[in-house]
Amino acid sequence: MNIGIILAAGKGERFGGGIEKQFCYLNNKMVIDYSISAFEKVKNINQIIIVTSEKWIEKINKKYPKHIIIKGGNTRQNSAFYGLKACPENTVNVLIHDAARPFIKTAIIEQSLLHLKKYQAVITSRQATDTIMRVENKKIIKMENRKNFFLNQTPQSFNYKLIYNAYQKEQKNVTDDISLINLEKIKYKIIEGSNYNIKITSSEDLLLAESILKLSK
Ligand code: CTP
Ligand code: MG
């Protein structure tokens, strides 16, 4: 089985406002609905698991009766682990996606699944286009070569046992899933994400998302 896990238990502290960013309306749908619908369109995704906060469970359950809806944790990492624990026994691959990225293309999901036949992990990423400098305590430590820097997006996709064991074992705090994997021990593939696959983080990003939506029509 190939499982899509959609993480939607964040509080959106940087976004601010009363409602969590993944449940804000973008046109006439909620931000989260876009990624759910992208995963639903991919026929080789056998089950979708939505990880969210307690107060949304009932609503999301009603709207998406076919999917598994579970409660998340205090951090993205905890939520992802709960998602992994909720996977059916015969899960072979998992694709972990941020609900805050509404513009994920079905082609990226399909490509990730295809590469999982050969690789144990597939990371969606974009090469940096801005110049990057390492800054610590407001001091520039080093000017970096942007060619060597990639900005990670989601989905990040894995052989289920590999990522499950990594989550079970690792203690360090990370902001994505591939950070927990011992990369020397596996075969992985970096695939090209998209400039449109933004993560809604601050409130201006919702305006940006509205523009992207218009462009894609
Ligand atoms: N997420 C989650 N559980 C958490 C924290 C985050 O499922 N405890 C999810 C978010 O809902 C989001 C994705 O992980 O879809 C990426 O996290 P991020 O952009 O950091 O969202 P928030 O944590 O909600 O935002 P902030 O960090 O500004 O509070
Ligand atoms: Mg966060």
Side-chain angles (χ1 to χ4, degrees), residues 8-59:
K11 292 194 176 78
E13 273 162 12
R14 288 166 292 177
F15 186 82
I19 184 161
E20 299 92 327
K21 57 193 182 182
Q22 61 273 29
F23 301 113
C24 284
Y25 273 83
L26 191 56
N27 234 355
N28 53 357
K29 292 200 292 184
M30 291 189 294
V31 167
I32 189 177
D33 295 328
Y34 290 86
S35 20
I36 295 174
S37 121
F39 274 82
E40 283 173 344
K41 280 188 193 127
V42 178
K43 72 169 192 324
N44 289 330
I45 293 288
N46 308 106
Q47 177 77 63
I48 294 171
I49 296 176
I50 301 163
V51 186
T52 192
S53 56
E54 193 147 28
K55 68 171 186 193
W56 284 96
I57 288 184
E58 214 183 298
K59 280 192 197 105

Side-chain angles (χ1 to χ4, degrees), residues 176-187:
D176 74 352
D177 313 291
I178 191 69
S179 306
L180 290 176
I181 300 285
N182 184 348
L183 295 168
E184 278 159 26
K185 292 204 172 148
I186 66 156
K187 271 175 74 183

Side-chain angles (χ1 to χ4, degrees), residues 81-100:
F81 196 22
Y82 290 145
L84 291 169
K85 285 178 176 163
C87 286
E89 227 171 88
N90 53 347
T91 301
V92 177
N93 296 309
V94 281
L95 287 73
I96 305 176
H97 182 66
D98 296 331

Side-chain angles (χ1 to χ4, degrees), residues 10-14 21 74-76 175 199:
K11 292 194 176 78
E13 273 162 12
R14 288 166 292 177
K21 57 193 182 182
N74 287 333
T75 60
R76 184 192 185 280
T175 50
K199 186 175 71 173

Side-chain angles (χ1 to χ4, degrees), residues 182-206:
N182 184 348
L183 295 168
E184 278 159 26
K185 292 204 172 148
I186 66 156
K187 271 175 74 183
Y188 58 86
K189 172 91 180 164
I190 301 170
I191 62 168
E192 180 77 9
S194 144
N195 274 348
Y196 292 162
N197 186 19
I198 59 163
K199 186 175 71 173
I200 295 174
T201 302
S202 62
S203 54
E204 308 92 73
D205 291 336
L206 204 58

